[in-house]
Amino acid sequence: MSENRTNGVRRGARVAGIGAAAAVAVGLLSTGAANADTFVPLPDGQREGPGVTITRTGEHAVISPSLAANGAGRVAWVSGTAIADVSATPEGEAGPWNGPSGAPGTNNSSTHGTSQMSTGYIVGCQVSIADDAISAGMSGGIDLGGAGVSGSIGINLGPGEVAFVMIDLKDIPKPGVYAVEYQDAEIQVQGCAGYAQARAYTVVEIIGDHYSKTTLYGMPFSIG
């Protein structure tokens, strides 16, 4: 079994972020509670699929008011580790048309030749992002957006809109354990005057004669 680990977005420690938990406790007793950072602990999760077990650990978020101070923006600093333990996948590039022509599940790869793992966040403005809403949104073709691991991610959301923002994408050329670790990845939300929610997702797509796509969702949390 091989191991392939990649660190996601990292940035220097912020003074407010280091004592985030303390900031919440103090902020609730002060007149400036609305301006305090909010630390949101999130539960671990796991899901098994054909040829893969996906696990998410250590997830948390720190919610900050936007520096624009216009009531329509906020910032979420998200951290966590997503792990894919892959037991079965064709080694190397098998091509999107791998397998007998016309056989069920063989001609459906969106990775164009290599199994892949991707992880990120679903963000919604004035809309619940429960499982049924995600399924409806994905079937409707919501666009994926984001800046990968290169820097902060900025999105504009109006009421009722949902965006998928990617933290990182990793190829899976052979069976093994693959991980994406990210710390204080910055997601900036602008244009949402109402409440906003976010939740993590990790998708593993396995190509080959028995194509599969397995998704692990995190718990939804408020970002103000």
Side-chain angles (χ1 to χ4, degrees):
M1 178 177 292
S2 65
E3 183 170 343
N4 187 347
R5 295 180 178 269
T6 298
N7 289 333
V9 179
R10 293 186 178 274
R11 61 179 192 84
R14 299 177 300 126
V15 173
I18 294 175
V24 174
V26 174
L28 291 175
L29 298 176
S30 70
T31 56
N35 295 321
D37 288 352
T38 302
F39 181 84
V40 183
L42 295 161
D44 296 343
Q46 186 175 85
R47 182 171 183 184
E48 294 187 6
V52 63
T53 298
I54 307 174
T55 305
R56 183 181 298 105
T57 61
E59 187 191 6
H60 62 268
V62 177
I63 313 302
S64 304
S66 171
L67 293 177
N70 57 11
R74 71 285 323 251
V75 178
W77 310 89
V78 293
S79 303
T81 301
I83 302 170
D85 188 346
V86 180
S87 60
T89 184
E91 293 199 15
E93 293 192 1
W97 306 106
N98 186 69
S101 177
T106 60
N107 299 332
N108 193 29
S109 174
S110 61
T111 68
H112 304 290
T114 306
S115 297
Q116 285 185 343
M117 168 189 183
S118 64
T119 193
Y121 282 79
I122 309 162
V123 184
C125 176
Q126 296 185 34
V127 61
S128 172
I129 48 176
D131 292 347
D132 53 351
I134 293 172
S135 299
M138 293 185 72
S139 65
I142 290 179
D143 291 334
L144 295 175
V149 297
S150 61
S152 65
I153 302 168
I155 55 175
N156 285 287
L157 288 178
E161 293 183 343
V162 176
F164 285 66
V165 292
M166 187 183 299
I167 298 294
D168 199 7
L169 177 73
K170 183 186 294 296
D171 285 342
I172 301 175
K174 59 182 178 180
V177 178
Y178 298 80
V180 172
E181 179 184 359
Y182 54 97
Q183 181 175 344
D184 289 341
E186 180 182 4
I187 302 177
Q188 298 186 34
V189 180
Q190 298 294 336
C192 180
Y195 72 90
Q197 279 190 330
R199 73 185 305 184
Y201 73 86
T202 300
V203 178
V204 175
E205 185 177 14
I206 303 296
I207 64 170
D209 292 342
H210 304 285
Y211 170 87
S212 69
K213 179 179 284 187
T214 304
T215 303
L216 170 65
Y217 294 113
M219 175 180 287
F221 59 94
S222 171
I223 53 176

